[in-house]
Amino acid sequence: MAAATSTPFGGGDTGGGGLAAGEMEVEAYRRLFPLAFYERHLRDSVRPDARPLHRARDTSIALGPVAFSDGSALVKIGDTTMLAAIKLEVMTPATDAPDEGSLAIEFYMPPICSPTVRPGRPAEVAPVISKQLSDTIISSQMINLKELSLVSGKASWMAYLDIYCLNADGALFDAALLSAIAAFSHLQIPLVSLNDDGKVITVSEELLEGKPSVELVNKEKRKLSLQRIPFSLTCLLHGKYILADPTAEEESVMETFVTVVLDSLGQLVSIYKPGGAVLAHRSTVKECIRLTKQRIDELKNILAESASAMEVA
Amino acid sequence: MEYVDSLTGFRLDGRRPNDIRQIRAEIGVVAKADGSALFEMGNTKVIAAVYRPTEVQNKGQQINNQALVRCEYSMANFSTRDLQEDQRGTEISLVICQTMEACILVHLMPCSQIDIFVQVLQADGETRSACINAATLTLADACFPMRDIVTSCSAGYLSSTPLLHLNYVEDSARGPDVTVGILAKMDKVTLLQMGSKLPIDIFENVMQLAIEGCKAIAQYIREVLLENTKLLESRKGL
């Protein structure tokens, strides 16, 4: 490695101040001048992992990894990994909504997911994403809360959805949302019946075989009918470039991002652009929406494939 | 309740009293971590990760001639059959921490802190053993200098029979439960915990059973590490 001649590098200047890439090892350049490293790639409309700017990473969904839950899914977008699981509990519905169940959605980032998360320093972004997820799922009206009702005014389901990030490599909200809807699509509501005290109890499938007299409250309604499923795509904005589905490294270098959520009918559910140095013109926002639409087609296929893979197994 | 069927000798999950559970391990599951592993013992699934030694966070705890080992253990809300709050077990964290401290060569990394994170994804008995086994694999994956491999497993005594590897139902029977952690090659016991009453001679049998279970796990872990090394070798073109 040639010794660098002592040319001062202009702060924020592109091209690393005139030092040719051959004079320094690529990895060193990547760490010392990350912005310049990326801009070199962006000029050729490509990213360090050889993706074109508008392509998302390989996505996979596996349904049912958590055996003890009522519905679960493991989603990977590139290296970002999310594990979502739903547990249902019977509770009394609120008096002003006697025919509806309820949802409780939580997002966790345990220290294994990233070297930046330490026991004394929880991830700042975790409660933000938790709230975002909650708002998105409820406002998209994907779940009809009436389907979570058991006995009007007396019993309904409380669905606890917990999403754990097992590996944080960018686009956390996208992966978390996908894992949430995959878990809901996998959800199988347990059979229940009323016992002698008038209380609702869950009935195990195997025990049923010997007792035809057990009256089931919800024999037909085992799966939720998901109506308008929300899908999202996060894009980074840098100058005139739009990068879809960023990795954690890209997110740390270029801080402005937009998350667009569309539902399966193509309607806009939410746009989230929390400040950032880059201002987005209308054309930029429209482009992000168009990219999200493209991504939705991919995600719909992947979700359908994972569901049919479950049936074959 | 009959934990061992008197006619067939099978347990509730179809195993014989001396049968080990199905064990599966995978290394390198968390790409960003310096070392990570997924360890499954029967239905119990645990994921562990470790990052390279860092500066000690709490200066007051810093030890000048060796590294400080810290462990954080937590169970996911959906990990058990009943719902529960995101649990952080202080006692189990300490147990894992002290067990691993016995095997890492801590004097080679003075004034630093080693953080081991363990997350239980599914709990079906023997979570602390699964965590210790996962931690061992994780530390090996991260290439920490270690004295030996630490493996752990549990054994109990129900229906007058010593049973190896208790699952959740057998564990909940509130019978004797012996958890052992050993340094496999050196044949030394680093962790030994037991609750409930047990006559001494039966205890020796149960403990011996657990130690054999640990050795079987150590054998498996060695195979996994060897496989991994061969894979790395072939990737490097050696």
Side-chain angles (χ1 to χ4, degrees):
Chain A
M1 188 162 67
T5 50
S6 50
T7 18
F9 303 111
D13 190 17
T14 60
L19 195 70
E23 286 183 28
M24 182 192 282
E25 267 186 3
V26 176
E27 274 307 308
Y29 191 68
R30 186 179 193 154
R31 300 291 167 104
L32 292 173
F33 309 107
L35 199 53
F37 177 78
Y38 273 94
E39 285 183 346
R40 266 215 154 93
H41 286 79
L42 293 178
R43 262 179 264 152
D44 291 332
S45 298
V46 81
R47 293 142 90 167
D49 58 358
R51 275 192 288 159
L53 300 186
H54 299 166
R55 179 156 347 131
R57 291 169 287 179
D58 286 339
T59 309
S60 68
I61 304 179
L63 296 180
V66 182
F68 298 165
S69 64
D70 299 303
S72 57
L74 179 71
V75 165
K76 289 178 85 138
I77 299 186
D79 276 337
T80 299
T81 310
M82 298 281 169
L83 179 63
I86 304 173
K87 283 195 98 95
L88 297 174
E89 217 176 44
V90 181
M91 60 148 203
T92 356
T95 41
D96 55 352
D99 287 317
E100 290 182 353
S102 51
L103 301 175
I105 303 173
E106 272 296 337
F107 175 73
Y108 301 93
M109 283 182 70
I112 51 172
C113 75
S114 162
T116 54
V117 180
R118 302 272 86 160
R121 266 181 14 214
E124 278 180 346
V125 76
V128 175
I129 295 183
S130 193
K131 179 99 194 355
Q132 247 187 303
L133 277 173
S134 206
D135 288 344
T136 305
I137 292 178
I138 292 175
S139 66
S140 71
Q141 296 173 330
M142 166 174 80
I143 306 214
N144 181 356
L145 292 176
K146 295 206 177 354
E147 289 186 351
L148 289 176
S149 167
L150 280 170
V151 178
S152 173
K154 293 233 184 85
S156 67
W157 290 115
M158 166 74 121
Y160 291 99
L161 169 65
D162 293 299
I163 305 174
Y164 283 80
C165 178
L166 299 179
N167 200 343
D169 192 20
L172 300 181
F173 176 76
D174 296 343
L177 183 62
L178 190 59
S179 71
I181 59 185
F184 275 115
S185 75
H186 178 248
L187 180 67
Q188 181 109 1
I189 302 183
L191 293 169
V192 292
S193 71
L194 291 174
N195 72 1
D196 304 320
D197 299 325
K199 275 208 193 142
V200 177
I201 51 164
T202 50
V203 177
S204 150
E205 303 244 9
E206 300 93 44
L207 293 179
L208 265 189
E209 270 143 46
K211 300 181 196 170
S213 57
V214 172
E215 205 192 285
L216 296 169
V217 174
N218 63 344
K219 204 155 148 192
E220 306 88 36
K221 303 174 284 175
R222 302 299 303 284
K223 283 224 160 217
L224 293 180
S225 61
L226 303 177
Q227 294 303 338
R228 301 149 59 153
I229 305 179
F231 294 98
S232 75
L233 180 66
T234 300
C235 297
L236 281 183
L237 303 181
H238 182 70
K240 57 176 165 61
Y241 303 108
I242 301 178
L243 287 76
D245 186 28
T247 62
E249 190 191 1
E250 289 169 350
E251 280 181 354
S252 67
V253 172
M254 296 167 265
E255 289 173 346
T256 311
F257 69 90
V258 182
T259 301
V260 176
V261 182
L262 296 175
D263 68 16
S264 38
L265 301 174
Q267 294 187 306
L268 193 58
V269 175
S270 86
I271 297 187
Y272 181 68
K273 180 186 183 299
V278 178
L279 304 174
H281 300 284
R282 268 199 350 223
S283 54
T284 317
V285 176
K286 276 191 170 163
E287 179 63 14
C288 292
I289 296 180
R290 188 189 71 79
L291 290 174
T292 312
K293 273 212 174 95
Q294 249 180 343
R295 177 71 170 146
I296 287 189
D297 294 325
E298 281 171 34
L299 291 177
K300 274 187 189 166
N301 283 341
I302 296 175
L303 194 56
E305 266 173 34
S306 67
S308 58
M310 275 290 294
E311 271 148 48
V312 170
Chain B
M1 184 168 178
E2 251 193 38
Y3 292 97
V4 180
D5 190 286
S6 40
L7 290 173
T8 59
F10 285 134
R11 291 150 76 171
L12 294 170
D13 53 6
R15 282 185 290 148
R16 292 195 177 282
N18 286 4
D19 278 349
I20 58 173
R21 294 165 99 176
Q22 193 169 44
I23 302 180
R24 200 180 84 84
E26 213 179 302
I27 311 186
V29 290
V30 180
K32 282 222 151 58
D34 292 308
S36 59
L38 172 71
F39 199 85
E40 293 179 45
M41 283 166 81
N43 281 333
T44 300
K45 249 190 243 195
V46 160
I47 194 170
V50 73
Y51 293 91
R52 59 174 66 97
T54 56
E55 224 182 295
V56 180
Q57 255 182 317
N58 187 351
K59 290 287 186 221
Q61 290 178 338
Q62 180 170 306
I63 312 171
N64 286 332
N65 59 353
Q66 65 175 51
L68 178 70
V69 178
R70 283 190 35 178
C71 172
E72 170 137 319
Y73 162 95
S74 81
M75 295 180 79
N77 288 6
F78 44 73
S79 59
T80 56
R81 292 177 193 275
D82 317 305
L83 199 63
Q84 61 176 7
E85 278 298 301
D86 191 31
Q87 277 196 7
R88 281 155 210 289
T90 326
E91 187 249 336
I92 301 188
S93 296
L94 205 59
V95 165
I96 300 175
C97 173
Q98 289 173 335
T99 309
M100 302 325 292
E101 212 169 3
C103 81
I104 306 176
L105 297 174
V106 286
H107 60 275
L108 291 179
M109 295 162 284
C111 301
S112 66
Q113 177 173 314
I114 302 172
D115 284 307
I116 307 173
F117 302 110
V118 186
Q119 179 84 27
V120 177
L121 300 176
Q122 224 170 256
D124 189 25
E126 289 191 299
T127 46
R128 71 184 66 197
S129 296
C131 289
I132 291 174
N133 295 329
T136 296
L137 264 176
T138 302
L139 291 168
D141 186 36
C143 304
F144 272 88
M146 295 202 283
R147 226 164 246 130
D148 199 348
I149 309 176
V150 182
T151 52
S152 165
C153 91
S154 71
Y157 187 76
L158 293 169
S159 301
S160 314
T161 327
L163 303 174
L164 182 58
H165 285 298
L166 302 176
N167 61 26
Y168 180 74
V169 181
E170 290 164 344
D171 205 2
S172 316
R174 301 199 180 281
D177 167 19
V178 177
T179 304
V180 175
I182 60 167
L183 292 174
K185 224 172 197 166
M186 293 170 73
D187 209 7
K188 293 197 171 172
V189 173
T190 160
L191 166 71
L192 181 59
Q193 282 185 304
M194 190 190 100
S196 182
K197 294 190 291 196
L198 202 56
I200 295 197
D201 47 353
I202 298 185
F203 169 72
E204 283 189 28
N205 283 347
V206 174
M207 180 168 139
Q208 195 48 42
L209 189 59
I211 291 182
E212 276 164 32
C214 289
K215 292 204 172 139
I217 297 178
Q219 184 56 28
Y220 176 72
I221 287 185
R222 272 197 209 100
E223 280 168 17
V224 171
L225 289 173
L226 204 56
E227 275 287 327
N228 191 45
T229 311
K230 286 193 183 146
L231 192 64
L232 291 174
E233 253 187 332
S234 68
R235 279 202 195 137
K236 280 204 156 175
L238 292 169

